[in-house]
Amino acid sequence: MVDLKKHIGIALAYFLIVALMGVLLRFYVVASLPFNYKFLLHAHSHTALLGWIYLGLTTLIYKIFLSEAQKPKLYKRIFLFTNLCIVGMLVTFPIQGYALYSIIFSTLFLFASYWFAWFAMKYIPKHFKQRFSWKLIKTALWYLVISSIGPWAIGGVMATLGPESIWYKSSIYFYLHFQYNGWFLIALLGVLFYVFEEKGIHFNPEKLKSFFLLLNFGVILTVFLSFLWFVPPTVIYLLGLAGAVAQLLAFFELYSLFKNHFSVLRTEFGPACFFLLKFAGALLALKILMQLFSAFPYIANLAFRLKDFVIGYLHMVFLGIVIMAMLGFLEYFKLIKLSKNFLWIFFFAFISTELLIFYKAFALWLGLPFFVEYYWLLAILSCAFPLAVGILFFRNIKSSYLSA
């Protein structure tokens, strides 16, 4: 047997560390703190994506699709190896940034992710193989593998062209794009379709096929939006725009599939979790519109010049869409317990900090008034994140060990 609640407890510990590092990064701007900002930023981003979100998603996938495979020992080995890599990155990035040891652990993590993808595809029980939910999960795992081309390319770029090359940033953006647009979002959609399938709801096969094709065209072509920062040839803008339109059409197709079944989600998930999913869905619609507008040269150049637009966008995607949807699913599958205190504080932290970040971006763009206490206020409001995650972590650790 695999104690998945304890595995999620470990993921939540990474979430708490990420939240604390985020506060330190915010206070670095207003106070003299004795650490290297870029090094801690690398640790923060790697632990968020590869510690908390990755472990949350892979644990969900194992519980739903692979617990019947009767391979608990192999899964435990993968989980242990993955955590050794994460802890290695967590220790080495704040000390040395991108250097020998952090690169070694980052590279080992890529092999850990390949190991899990192989494990899932090899040992998936036969009765899941024809399900649309598994088709999405398998696609998400392939995007996880594809995203790793970015980190592999960084090594070659650093050795030949150097970090000032356009290919250095492009490799990072390639990786991030296929992580959150491919791996994260499609895996969450796979879990959502699984819930409908378990309730005996069948969708029109032609509509599913149309949605799947549009979704994948969108994911593949919107990668070109990540390259607009260096003003590439016009064809790159057109490909990015085509991808953004495909994503928009996929979202409308998804809505048409679900619109008559929202009552099922409301009944199944309960008020708190259903609200999390609705909120994540609304932000997903906003994200798709933002990507559509970013395909136009003026907006693309604006996002490149004003980094707060990008920071606000990325936080919206990770904190507002991916994490909120994942929390709803973890609660639904009884891997965590969400309290009202956590939800209220987390929403307050997310909404207040997002408003501030985007306000700064719009203020710089439109010449709006900017107040000198901005950075202090942002740092203080950010303290609500570790407070919320701390409540979530300690409550779930307590319940996990009491039930053991």
Side-chain angles (χ1 to χ4, degrees):
M1 283 290 291
V2 179
D3 191 340
L4 295 179
K5 282 189 177 181
K6 287 184 179 174
H7 285 196
I8 288 297
I10 293 169
L12 286 173
Y14 292 132
F15 192 16
L16 181 56
I17 292 167
V18 167
L20 290 168
M21 286 193 289
V23 169
L24 285 174
L25 289 166
R26 291 270 162 83
F27 273 100
Y28 183 90
V29 180
V30 294
S32 180
L33 297 176
F35 62 83
N36 185 296
Y37 181 88
K38 281 191 175 180
F39 291 180
L40 193 68
L41 182 62
H42 290 319
H44 172 76
S45 58
H46 280 76
T47 310
L49 271 62
L50 311 181
W52 159 232
I53 298 176
Y54 177 88
L55 287 185
L57 286 177
T58 53
T59 305
L60 271 172
I61 291 168
Y62 180 83
K63 179 175 177 62
I64 297 168
F65 296 99
L66 297 161
S67 53
E68 295 175 32
Q70 302 298 316
K71 293 287 180 181
K73 287 184 179 178
L74 179 55
Y75 174 71
K76 284 179 182 177
R77 288 192 200 109
I78 297 171
F79 185 80
L80 177 61
F81 179 60
T82 303
N83 278 277
L84 287 172
C85 300
I86 295 165
V87 172
M89 288 186 283
L90 185 57
V91 171
T92 55
F93 270 116
I95 295 170
Q96 60 174 196
Y98 271 108
L100 176 62
Y101 294 109
S102 60
I103 290 171
I104 288 171
F105 284 114
S106 303
T107 304
L108 288 173
F109 181 88
L110 296 180
F111 288 112
S113 66
Y114 299 159
W115 196 5
F116 179 81
W118 166 84
F119 168 74
M121 292 184 204
K122 181 172 176 62
Y123 293 108
I124 181 72
K126 283 185 180 179
H127 65 91
F128 282 127
K129 286 186 176 180
Q130 300 308 312
R131 286 201 185 190
F132 186 70
S133 59
W134 172 248
K135 187 177 183 179
L136 288 172
I137 296 293
K138 186 168 71 170
T139 303
L141 290 169
W142 276 115
Y143 283 128
L144 168 65
V145 173
I146 290 167
S147 73
S148 69
I149 294 171
W152 287 119
I154 286 172
V157 170
M158 288 285 282
T160 55
L161 303 172
E164 302 306 316
S165 163
I166 61 169
W167 296 107
Y168 177 76
K169 277 187 181 178
S170 297
S171 299
I172 294 171
Y173 295 156
F174 179 96
Y175 170 73
L176 286 173
H177 171 81
F178 283 107
Q179 280 281 303
Y180 69 79
N181 282 312
W183 158 227
F184 294 162
L185 290 177
I186 296 180
L188 289 167
L189 286 171
V191 175
L192 185 58
F193 271 96
Y194 172 85
V195 174
F196 281 116
E197 290 167 356
E198 287 299 291
K199 293 289 113 185
I201 294 170
H202 300 286
F203 297 104
N204 183 314
E206 288 303 311
K207 277 190 168 291
L208 288 178
K209 184 179 179 182
S210 172
F211 165 67
F212 185 76
L213 289 173
L214 285 168
L215 180 67
N216 283 281
F217 274 123
V219 171
I220 292 166
L221 292 178
T222 50
V223 72
F224 292 104
L225 296 177
S226 302
F227 305 146
L228 302 185
W229 61 276
F230 61 83
V231 193
T234 305
V235 66
I236 302 298
Y237 285 91
L238 293 174
L239 288 169
L241 179 61
V245 171
Q247 236 177 26
L248 185 65
L249 293 173
F251 182 81
F252 280 121
E253 198 73 83
L254 182 68
Y255 180 78
S256 71
L257 285 165
F258 286 169
K259 66 181 178 182
N260 295 324
H261 304 293
F262 285 122
S263 58
V264 174
L265 292 181
R266 188 181 291 108
T267 305
E268 277 296 299
F269 283 89
C273 288
F274 183 61
F275 178 74
L276 281 171
L277 290 180
K278 277 200 306 182
F279 192 80
L283 290 181
L284 177 60
L286 179 59
K287 167 195 172 294
I288 289 168
L289 287 174
M290 289 172 76
Q291 282 191 296
L292 182 65
F293 285 118
S294 73
F296 297 95
Y298 177 79
I299 301 296
N301 183 54
L302 187 70
F304 174 64
R305 285 192 297 106
L306 302 176
K307 294 291 188 289
D308 292 276
F309 276 123
V310 176
I311 293 167
Y313 171 79
L314 289 175
H315 280 184
M316 182 188 79
V317 171
F318 295 126
L319 288 167
I321 301 174
V322 175
I323 288 176
M324 288 192 190
M326 191 169 78
L327 287 170
F329 290 135
L330 289 171
E331 164 89 355
Y332 176 75
F333 289 102
K334 296 180 170 53
L335 290 170
I336 61 170
K337 290 181 180 179
L338 300 176
S339 68
K340 285 185 179 179
N341 288 339
F342 161 73
L343 290 171
W344 279 111
I345 298 170
F346 190 78
F347 269 97
F348 168 76
F350 172 72
I351 292 169
S352 62
T353 54
E354 280 292 281
L355 287 174
L356 274 179
I357 292 167
F358 277 111
Y359 176 78
K360 182 189 172 189
F362 277 102
L364 292 171
W365 176 28
L366 302 173
L368 300 174
F370 188 73
F371 50 98
V372 291
E373 298 86 2
Y374 169 85
Y375 293 105
W376 271 110
L377 183 59
L378 184 60
I380 291 166
L381 289 173
S382 298
C383 293
F385 280 118
L387 176 60
V389 179
I391 291 169
L392 180 67
F393 172 71
F394 288 109
R395 175 174 177 173
N396 281 278
I397 286 294
K398 185 179 176 182
S399 65
S400 175
Y401 280 93
L402 283 176
S403 62

